[in-house]
Structure formats: structure tokens, C-alpha cells
Amino acid sequence: MSSTQHTPLPYYEDVSPGAGALPPRPWTPSSDAARLSLNGTWSFRLSPTATAEDDSFARPGYDARGWDELPVPGHWVLHGHGAPIYTNVLYPFPVDPPHVPAENPTGDHLRVFDLPGGWPEGGDAVLRFEGVESCARVWLNGAELGTFKGSRLPHEFEVGSLLEPSGNVLAVRVHQWSSGSYLEDQDQWWLPGIFREVTLEHRPEGALADYFVHASYDHTTGEGTLRIDADPGGRVTVPELGLDLATGESATVPVEPWTAETPRLYKARLTTVGESVSLHVGFRTVVVEDGLLKVNGRRVLFRGVNRHEFHPENGRAVDLATMRRDLVLMKQHNINAVRTSHYPPHPAFLGLCDELGLWVIDECDLETHGFGVLDWRNNPVDDDRWTPALLDRAERMVERDKNHPSIVMWSLGNECGTGRGLSAMADWIRERDPSRVIHYEGDMSCADTDVYSRMYAPHEEVDQIGRRTEAPWGDPELDAKRRALPFIQCEYAHAMGNGPGGLGEYQRLFEAHERCQGGFVWEWIDHGFTRRAPDGRFYHVYGGDLGEELHDGNFVCDGLVFPDRTPSPGLIEYKKVIEPVRIEGDGARGTVRITNGHDFADLSHLVFTWSYEAAGEAIGSGELAVPPLSPGESADLKLPAPPGTAEARAETRWTVEARLAAPTAWAAAGHTVAWAQLPTTASGAGRARPLASGEAARRDGDRIVLGPGVFDAATGALTALGGLPVTEPPRLDIWRAPTDNDNGASWQPDERWGLIWRTFGLHRVRHRTDAVETTPDGALTVRTRVAPAAVDFGLETVYRWTADEDGRLSLAVSVTPLGEWTCPLPRLGLRLGLPAALGEAEWFGGGPGEAYPDTRAAARVGRWALSVDELQTPYVRPQENGARIDVRWVRLTAPDGSGVRIEGEPAFWFTARRWTTEQLDAAEHTPDLEASNETVWVNLDHGQQGIGTQSCGPGVLDEHRLDVAPAEFSFTFSRLS
């Protein structure tokens, strides 16, 4: 007779949240209790498995002189011990919950420390860890304190009885994989280690174990009610308000409320018999009422971003200066809200949100996305055995962060499917903190939530949701509940590579429908780690570059800022689209309408200026008197009489700007918040049209000469312009290096145009010359057929060259589709090569940055100048970039001023690079692009396909598609000397 013995699971595999940790309490940055930072250089040893070494290293006297050194906070994979792993959805280990692989990298950390002089006697002390991935076991002076999971959450241990004046040995064993890893399948790098602060905190007798700031605001009376509950009790003082209260006692007084636009904080002090802490109190009330999310009685519109914690060298070990830099950049670009995807951020970040003013969705450290590919079998959130771990994560988030006025929603997590565990979390949070609303996107029934949240809903569906006419889903009672809820897009406009497109159309829907209360762009930053190429150039690596077995490539680089936090064109576009002041008008009539789009602030903090421009240059400017409009109010104003010095044929327009009147914590006085341009003449005024031929084309041996142009007589190809060599003759170009959004997402195959274009061979079209003719009117006409191999469709293209007596050369292009095209074009225009010395560009048109049909809101019409190198946008994975929109003319010049001027009719897109489109297409990282010493390649485009956001969202809207159709356009070339 035999029996089966079940060996208990090791602590890193059991489903519990851990053992030995104290109950969570608020993060308190300012206390008079003694603290000792244990950050710094620790001794470190990496083992390949969880059991390769015993725990003798934790005992005092252990000789660790042969160990390596590692910074804490930090990740060992960023300091020469293994490598990061990037996956979006898939777990990088076999899915067998709660088990993890035997190959479980384990880092032993040692720190020996002395208590500082004057460390208080008596009382107790706690050892606090702000963040450790993914599971830790802790000893102090040989005594085991406990274990914990929950990587982005704080854990504390009582250690007062174990401390010695000197020689204290702190030992921490960290496992890369644990049962907790199943709950942390967020779209980011897997980065094990002690990545947030470690602190020893003295806890005097009577120190605060907990406190909860309740500070509501009544918008009808202008009064705030303050009550602070504390354990143990004490007193609360708020000098500005003249308050001196016992904890638990309420007081109602007139206050200025806290909002993201007006982040008014009152300094307070909470004192018990053993501890005194400084607080910043913001009065505000959050409710769902009349089907809307309201703060202080008003509907709010979220102009938000999702933010992972990331630094291109330090991973999730993000310092305070970098956090502030993130938030300052957000505020400077009109962003008013952050979703802390997909875990609570470093607690200091929330304090900065309180100070600078941003709405926050604080999200729990919970995602089980990898179970989705398994039809959610064995999903922990629907398995009661895991519920204590889920509740522990919810409790640690709420208790740590509950005193921040910036937090208006608690989020249960991200992409976890549905289950009883989520309901238990919602019930606990709602009981503990009824003053905020609960968010979760993954349950369409909205059974546990107070808002209806979606990811990447297309524009048409958002319009239906705004009208509360969306399709029914599930149980009729729950469907009716959902239809009555406010709506947000917790993720939309995937900011991967060039893009996102369609932002303006989304924003118009958010503003048109009260129910649609905005959204959060995915996401803030590209997660690319910095590396240095052999030639010394810095670049950034992404998934697959570090030897991962499974990875999701550059899907980790989908932010509005580059890894070094340089704003991308997408952020510049977003700033323009979400401006909180709308400026409209009729330039020809000299009228302008100003509308305040803020939720709370009037316009007294702004000054308005005008400038009048002719041919892209300002010829007059001044201030515009705008009343301090309240939110939602508009004013119609008259602009001054335009200056009378513009040339008769010059293109003229007004530019009106709203700027900060005084410096703020996030920008200097004069910072531009909003702007608009109001044309006063037709945009085509003064631009070139095809020239009447002033000179006749003539054959000269194997050449044809037409004005300043020299052509190959056999092919009709332009080889020189006024003595300037043309290194690649102008000819029709329809290919662009596909963007991430062109390539699209695998789950949306129908419009993955980048792949479809390549299947049809648009990247390898052939040009056949059918005729080279000199016509009786003196023109040179070249007839061609442009088509890819293996298909029977193409483009008949006719080039008609003329010249005038002023030495200008004009090209009129006519394009006629042949056969049946079943896809749009990437681009339609000309490509040519010019000598590499022409490295400076000046143009009149949209700028200063790149723009495409659905990413053009931020392009101002004016005169701009940049080098060819500065025209490039260094996307982490190279792709189509750098086009300037609505160009009337462009000049490309050498340092001595020689070069070429190109005018277009109609206005065109202009791009110039030191590498070909084919080289750009082939590149995987920026150092793959090697500048030519011979040629600058120039694209003059009549049309471009829009960008869209199909890397993880809707494709290009119909109005921005470059459908195949007959087209005519022209360019005029002039030699500059």
C-alpha cells in the first residue's frame, strides 16, 4: 500500500502575497521621525536557480568579499547580470500557475550598515521596501523577517528589536520569477531587482500607524470640509485656514478647491504624541452624476496619457528629477491626466501630480494578459485561491496613495479578463474609500465599475457611445447600467513610431458628446535602452535585441517622447489637438472667436497676441484684448486693420496665440498654450504654375537641352540643371518605408497596408519609358509606365518639361491608373537626387516639424530653415518620417549659397534625406542609416497616405487615404548660384 505525499510549495510559488509584512500605511515623505536611507552600493551574487545557494549568506560574519557590487535602487540585468526580456502579452515561461521554471535567476543582496549617531532610543523601527521584482525574502542580522510579492507596492517589516548600533547585516534574496509574476504580465520589460528605495524608519511610541485625509468641496457654497482620521489620534493644524482640530473632528470653511488646472494645496500638520508629519491638503469632490464624471460639480475632460515608469539606462529605477521632468513636459503639452499603467508609480510621482496639477487614475499592480491567449483558462482573477493576493495588492495601493487629491479613480488593474477576484477588490475599495470612482476596462458589463472604459474603440463607435446608442452587450440590466455611465478611452491613439494619426477626429468627438470624457494616449515614453554603436553613435534597443527567447520587437517603443525624453512629433501634434483654448475666425474679415475649453480656470492667466504675416514673414504684431472668459464661454473679437506693407500677390494670414501671462511651476511666462492661423488670402496666391515654354527643346547628340535642363535623349531623364548635376533624375515615386502604423497589428489584417503594399511589390516598381518626344510648342514630353512585377496594374505617367527665358525649368506630371488597384498608395510624387553639398533647406509651408494628412494640426505655415540632418525624425525603429506639409517652395543650398529652388502647384510635401527610402526601409536601428557623401534624396509629394494608429488601434480614416486616382501636379526648378 502506498500513499502520495504532497510537498508544500516554496514561498515563491505559493499563491499567497507573502508572510511577515506589516499592514500597509500611507507614504509620508515629510516626518520628524528619524530615517536612514539604505540606498547605495550593495554586495550582489546571482544564481541560476532559486535553490542553488543556501541562506548562510544572511548570517552575520558571512564573507562576501568575492561578490560583485550592485546599485540599489537598480536592476541586476542592467548591470551585467543577465538581460532584460520584453514581452507584451506572452509569459516568458511555461504557463503552469502558480509554478515557475527551475531556471529562475535569483539575486542575493547584502548591505552592512551602522545606525547614525543620535538614532533615537526606544520605540520601534521598520524596514521599508518601496519596490522589488518579483519576490523577496528578507533577513536582518540573521533573523528572517518574511517574504513578499507585489513588485510595485511597498512592504514593511518590524525590526526594532534586531537593530545593533553598528554592523547590521541586511540580506535580501530576490527571485526573478514567482507566482506573483502571473499577476504582473504588463506590456513592458521584465526587470528583476530592488528598483525602488530601501529605508529604515524609526517608529516612536505613539507614531502614526495610519491616517486618512478627507477633504471634500461643495461647489454650491464654495466651502471645503476637512476631517483627518488617524491611528493613534492627535491634532491637525491648517494655518492658512485657521484650523486646529482633533483628528476625527470635521470643520467646514471657505476654501479654494483643488483641480488639475488650479492645483491649490493647503499646508497642514498632523501631530500625535510620537510623530509629526507635514501634509498637503487639496479640497475636491468626485462623483458620477447624471451619467457624467464630475469633479467639484463640473464635467471633466481628460486629455491624458498612460505612463509606464522607464529610464533608458536605469529601467524602472526612476529618480525624482526625471519624474518631475515627465510631468513638466506633460503640462507644457496641455496634458492634464495620467493613468499609471499598469501599477502604482513611485509614490513621489503622485506628490508631484498634486503639486503641478494632473488628474490621476491610480492602477493596481495587476495584469494577467497572457491567459487571454489561452481563452482565460486558469486565470488567477477567477480563482478564489488567488483572491487574498489580489486583495493585498488593492489594499497596498489604496492605503499607500489614498491621501493624494490628484487621484480621482482607482483602477483594479489591466487586461485581466473577468472574475470573482476583481469583484472582491472592487467591493473592498468601495468600502474603504467611497470618495473616488472605480475603473476597470476589461469587463464590458461594467459590473464592478463606475465608468465605462474601452481601449482603441474606433471613431465611429466612440460617436455611438457618445450618443448612448452603442450595441448591446450581455445581460440587459447590466447593459442598461453601462449605457448610463460616463465613457473614457483608457487607451487610444497608439503612439508607436510615426503617429498617432486621427487625434483631431477623436478630440472633436470628446468635445461633441458630454458622455465622452476624453482618453489616455498609449503611451508616454519609448522603452528603448541606450546603447552605443561601434562608430560612437548612441541608439536604442528593443525587444529581440537582447537575446530573448520570446519577444514583441519594437512594440515596446510606442511613446510620445523618445527614450531620452525628447518630444516626438506625436507629442507636438497632441498638444495642438488638445489645446484648452479654441481660436477660430475669419482672417479675411479680421474676426476671431476665442472659446475657453478649460473645465475650471478662466482665461485671466493668459495673454493673447496677434501677428500678421506676408509670404511667411511677420510684418506686424501686437496684443489682443480678451476678457477673462469662464469655462465654456466664447467671445467674438475684431482684429486690428492689417498692416499695409505686404506685396500685392503675397500670401497673408493672421496668427493668434494664447500664452502664459506669468511663470508657473511648469513653464515660463510667454509659454504658448494655444494658437491658430487665419488666412486672409487664398493659399495658392503667388505660387508657381506650369510655365509657358520660352525656349524650345533641342537635341544635341545623346542629349536634349531645354533651357537650364540637360536630359538623356534615350530616356528623357534630367541629368543637370544649370550646370548642377542631378545625381538621380526626377521620376514617379509611390513607396515609403512603412511606418509601424502602416504595418499594423496582427489581429487587424484587412488594412495592414505596409504588408499589403509589399505583397503587391510597391517597394520594387519598374519604370518603362515608352516615348521621348519634343513637341511643336517646344516642350519635352516623356511617356512612361510605372508598375511592380507580377501584377497587371500600374500607373501611366507623363512628364511634360518646359522652360522660360528666366532660366526656370518646369515639370508637369500627369498620372493615370491602369488596371484594378485594390489598395491605396503609400505616396504619390517625385523622387530625385541632388549633390550632397546641398545640405541646408529653407521652405515656405508647414513646419517646423513633420506632418502627414492626419497628423497635420501642429504644422504652422511660415518660413522655416533646417539642415537636411535636422529634418529627420529619429524613430527608434527607422521608418517614413520628416515630410513637411503644404510647401509652396523650398530651397536646398550649399554653404556658399548655391543650390536649387523648387516651387510646386498645388502645395506639396517635401522630404530630404542622406539615404534612400530603400535604405530607410531596411534599417532596424538608427546606426543602420549611413549618410551618403554624394547625394541628398528629395521627395516632392503630391499626396501621402495618412498614418492612422493601427499598430494597436484604428487604421487610416477614409478621408486620409491616398486612393488611386488620376492626378496632375507640377514643379518649377530654378538654379541658385
Side-chain angles (χ1 to χ4, degrees):
M1 187 173 180
S2 63
S3 62
T4 301
Q5 296 290 329
H6 292 284
T7 303
L9 291 175
Y11 64 90
Y12 52 85
E13 285 192 327
D14 68 39
V15 298
S16 76
L22 294 168
R25 63 188 177 101
W27 184 70
T28 307
S30 179
S31 167
D32 64 356
R35 295 183 180 181
L36 175 64
S37 171
L38 298 178
N39 297 344
T41 301
W42 291 43
S43 298
F44 178 78
R45 174 183 67 188
L46 183 66
S47 302
T49 70
T51 58
E53 300 286 350
D54 61 22
D55 59 7
S56 60
F57 80 101
R59 301 170 194 155
Y62 181 85
D63 186 359
R65 285 178 293 180
W67 288 22
D68 294 318
E69 292 185 338
L70 188 75
V72 171
H75 303 278
W76 70 68
V77 291
L78 299 182
H79 293 275
H81 305 280
I85 299 169
Y86 168 59
T87 59
N88 170 28
V89 176
L90 301 178
Y91 289 104
F93 48 79
V95 181
D96 182 24
H99 303 289
V100 295
E103 299 85 2
N104 187 358
T106 295
D108 289 333
H109 301 67
L110 272 179
R111 171 70 191 266
V112 179
F113 66 93
D114 299 335
L115 295 180
W119 184 263
E121 296 182 4
D124 206 338
V126 297
L127 182 66
R128 183 178 176 95
F129 296 86
E130 296 293 348
V132 181
E133 182 178 329
S134 73
C135 174
R137 186 181 180 189
V138 187
W139 297 262
L140 181 64
N141 292 333
E144 182 172 351
L145 303 179
T147 63
F148 64 89
K149 308 173 189 110
S151 297
R152 269 66 72 174
L153 294 162
H155 294 83
E156 292 182 328
F157 298 94
E158 199 169 72
V159 297
S161 63
L162 299 174
L163 289 173
E164 301 290 344
S166 61
N168 292 285
V169 178
L170 175 57
V172 185
R173 173 163 285 173
V174 180
H175 305 286
Q176 175 156 12
W177 309 122
S178 71
S179 59
S181 302
Y182 286 101
L183 305 180
E184 297 173 4
D185 188 28
Q186 293 103 339
D187 175 12
Q188 60 177 340
W189 295 95
W190 298 87
L191 295 170
I194 306 173
F195 65 94
R196 290 184 186 159
E197 292 82 359
V198 183
T199 310
L200 181 69
E201 301 187 9
H202 183 242
R203 308 309 295 146
E205 291 289 338
L208 281 163
D210 185 31
Y211 60 94
F212 198 160
V213 177
H214 304 276
S216 62
Y217 179 72
D218 186 336
H219 65 280
T220 64
T221 65
E223 293 179 319
T225 299
L226 177 65
R227 186 186 85 247
I228 298 182
D229 298 328
D231 177 20
R235 295 204 69 80
V236 177
T237 57
V238 188
E240 278 188 274
L241 299 176
L243 295 179
D244 186 345
L245 306 171
T247 56
E249 181 183 353
S250 296
T252 300
V253 293
V255 297
E256 298 173 50
W258 188 97
T259 74
E261 297 167 3
T262 56
R264 179 66 160 97
L265 294 171
Y266 291 88
K267 293 182 179 179
R269 181 160 287 275
L270 168 60
T271 303
T272 69
V273 67
E275 184 179 15
S276 182
V277 300
S278 295
L279 306 175
H280 290 92
V281 176
F283 291 87
R284 57 106 186 92
T285 295
V286 184
V287 297
V288 172
E289 182 180 76
D290 303 323
L292 301 175
L293 175 66
K294 297 181 180 180
V295 179
N296 300 340
R298 298 188 63 89
R299 168 190 183 261
V300 295
L301 181 61
F302 296 114
R303 302 171 169 94
V305 292
N306 287 273
R307 175 189 176 268
H308 268 299
E309 292 184 303
F310 183 76
H311 187 281
E313 292 161 356
N314 303 326
R316 278 189 289 281
V318 180
D319 61 277
L320 184 64
T322 300
M323 295 179 216
R324 181 177 284 275
R325 183 181 177 190
D326 277 346
L327 288 173
V328 164
L329 274 173
M330 290 178 195
K331 293 288 289 188
Q332 289 175 348
H333 290 85
N334 293 329
I335 291 167
N336 72 356
V338 179
R339 176 179 174 228
T340 69
S341 52
H342 298 294
Y343 42 82
H346 189 288
F349 181 82
L350 299 171
L352 292 172
C353 291
D354 296 341
E355 174 195 338
L356 297 174
L358 285 102
W359 309 114
V360 175
I361 300 179
D362 197 3
E363 192 149 271
C364 195
D365 190 7
L366 176 61
E367 181 168 339
T368 63
H369 203 171
F371 287 91
V373 299
L374 305 173
D375 295 323
W376 299 107
R377 291 190 303 275
N378 300 315
N379 184 10
V381 304
D382 200 28
D383 183 336
D384 292 338
R385 295 174 300 169
W386 293 79
T387 299
L390 305 185
L391 288 171
D392 179 76
R393 289 170 183 250
E395 183 178 354
R396 291 187 182 279
M397 171 182 71
V398 171
E399 299 297 359
R400 191 196 75 168
D401 298 342
K402 63 190 178 228
N403 295 318
H404 292 282
S406 56
I407 298 172
V408 293
M409 291 190 228
W410 300 115
S411 180
L412 302 179
N414 184 68
E415 292 174 320
C416 298
T418 60
R420 298 183 299 277
L422 291 171
S423 297
M425 294 169 67
D427 290 344
W428 185 90
I429 293 174
R430 194 168 276 117
E431 176 69 23
R432 178 61 172 143
D433 180 22
S435 71
R436 295 177 172 95
V437 301
I438 293 180
H439 168 272
Y440 177 66
E441 178 272 340
D443 183 1
M444 285 282 285
S445 76
C446 299
D448 298 315
T449 68
D450 301 306
V451 296
Y452 176 32
S453 177
R454 287 288 305 282
M455 293 181 181
Y456 309 106
H459 300 77
E460 182 180 2
E461 184 181 357
V462 171
D463 187 40
Q464 293 171 347
I465 293 170
R467 301 176 191 276
R468 302 187 192 269
T469 60
E470 69 269 23
W473 189 93
D475 177 86
E477 185 176 343
L478 287 173
D479 184 66
K481 175 200 171 187
R482 188 193 74 242
R483 205 179 299 276
L485 296 178
F487 172 75
I488 65 167
Q489 288 243 61
C490 67
E491 292 180 21
Y492 82 112
H494 197 248
M496 186 176 179
N498 187 334
L503 284 169
E505 289 82 358
Y506 271 125
Q507 194 65 23
R508 285 193 285 276
L509 290 169
F510 298 158
E511 293 174 359
H513 300 302
E514 271 199 329
R515 184 191 188 190
C516 296
Q517 296 193 235
F520 297 76
V521 168
W522 186 267
E523 64 158 304
W524 175 242
I525 189 168
D526 286 342
H527 302 197
F529 286 113
T530 303
R531 296 291 185 269
R532 193 167 198 157
D535 64 3
R537 285 185 289 172
F538 289 100
Y539 69 106
H540 297 99
V541 296
Y542 46 78
D545 290 333
L546 303 176
E548 299 103 309
E549 180 181 27
L550 294 174
H551 66 84
D552 286 288
N554 70 312
F555 202 72
V556 77
C557 295
D558 45 15
L560 291 170
V561 297
F562 296 125
D564 65 359
R565 287 175 161 78
T566 300
S568 77
L571 181 59
I572 307 302
E573 179 80 356
Y574 194 39
K575 174 186 178 180
K576 175 62 182 158
V577 165
I578 61 175
E579 290 173 341
V581 178
R582 189 161 62 249
I583 304 172
E584 306 162 298
D586 185 330
R589 295 188 176 186
T591 59
V592 61
R593 166 170 284 194
I594 308 295
T595 302
N596 182 2
H598 291 88
D599 295 324
F600 297 94
D602 64 24
L603 297 189
S604 60
H605 65 294
L606 300 175
V607 293
F608 289 78
T609 62
W610 62 265
S611 67
Y612 189 74
E613 295 140 19
E617 294 187 334
I619 59 174
S621 62
E623 287 199 8
L624 183 68
V626 176
L629 302 170
S630 297
E633 287 188 338
S634 298
D636 293 306
L637 306 170
K638 186 71 175 174
L639 292 163
T645 57
E647 295 181 10
R649 296 181 65 247
E651 187 178 336
T652 55
R653 61 181 31 81
W654 299 94
T655 297
V656 179
E657 296 188 65
R659 300 172 177 268
L660 289 180
T664 68
W666 47 268
H671 168 81
T672 299
V673 172
W675 60 271
Q677 291 188 305
L678 310 174
T680 59
T681 58
S683 61
R687 281 188 277 122
R689 287 169 173 77
L691 302 174
S693 184
E695 295 190 18
R698 58 185 175 83
R699 291 184 178 267
D700 180 9
D702 60 358
R703 305 185 310 165
I704 295 175
V705 178
L706 175 61
V710 178
F711 300 82
D712 182 284
T715 64
L718 179 69
T719 59
L721 175 70
L724 181 75
V726 177
T727 59
E728 181 178 301
R731 64 179 185 177
L732 193 74
D733 189 17
I734 61 172
W735 181 244
R736 73 184 186 195
T739 67
D740 292 313
N741 286 303
D742 288 337
N743 287 333
S746 60
W747 55 90
Q748 301 178 96
D750 293 344
E751 293 188 1
R752 300 185 71 186
W753 296 123
L755 278 62
I756 294 169
W757 293 334
R758 205 178 295 276
T759 298
F760 285 149
L762 301 194
H763 61 303
R764 47 173 174 77
V765 296
R766 297 291 181 261
H767 299 254
R768 185 185 76 209
T769 302
D770 290 335
V772 179
E773 307 165 340
T774 55
T775 57
D777 63 358
L780 170 64
T781 300
V782 182
R783 303 181 186 279
T784 71
R785 185 178 190 275
V786 180
V791 300
D792 63 353
F793 55 79
L795 298 167
E796 180 183 74
T797 308
V798 179
Y799 307 90
R800 186 173 187 272
W801 293 92
T802 57
D804 69 2
E805 296 175 351
D806 295 328
R808 298 186 296 168
L809 186 67
S810 179
L811 170 60
V813 182
S814 174
V815 180
T816 303
L818 303 170
E820 184 179 355
W821 286 78
T822 58
C823 67
L825 293 175
R827 69 179 344 135
L828 180 69
L830 300 179
R831 182 171 92 170
L832 67 152
L834 296 171
L838 306 189
E840 298 296 324
E842 182 185 5
W843 73 97
F844 175 33
E850 73 180 26
Y852 292 83
D854 52 353
T855 64
R856 60 178 296 159
R860 292 198 198 203
V861 174
R863 288 185 62 165
W864 310 102
L866 290 170
S867 71
V868 168
D869 296 330
E870 291 171 327
L871 290 172
Q872 314 313 308
T873 302
Y875 293 112
V876 173
R877 185 192 73 80
Q879 56 198 270
E880 165 64 32
N881 73 90
R884 269 57 183 183
I885 199 170
D886 288 338
V887 175
R888 283 70 161 158
W889 58 257
V890 59
R891 286 201 291 244
L892 287 161
T893 57
D896 63 1
S898 64
V900 63
R901 174 186 167 107
I902 306 169
E903 301 168 71
E905 172 61 33
F908 58 97
W909 275 272
F910 155 69
T911 310
R913 304 188 180 102
R914 296 193 179 276
W915 38 78
T916 65
T917 298
E918 292 74 20
Q919 290 169 324
L920 183 63
D921 188 9
E924 297 293 334
H925 300 88
T926 51
D928 297 338
L929 296 168
E930 296 188 6
S932 169
N933 294 322
E934 299 178 355
T935 300
V936 168
W937 281 271
V938 178
N939 276 90
L940 310 170
D941 289 318
H942 175 65
Q944 279 266 2
Q945 167 85 346
I947 298 297
T949 182
Q950 205 188 15
S951 53
C952 188
V956 177
L957 294 171
D958 288 347
E959 58 265 37
H960 302 308
R961 283 174 43 142
L962 183 58
D963 290 323
V964 180
E968 293 185 353
F969 50 93
S970 64
F971 297 99
T972 298
F973 302 85
S974 304
R975 178 77 163 90
L976 302 175
S977 57

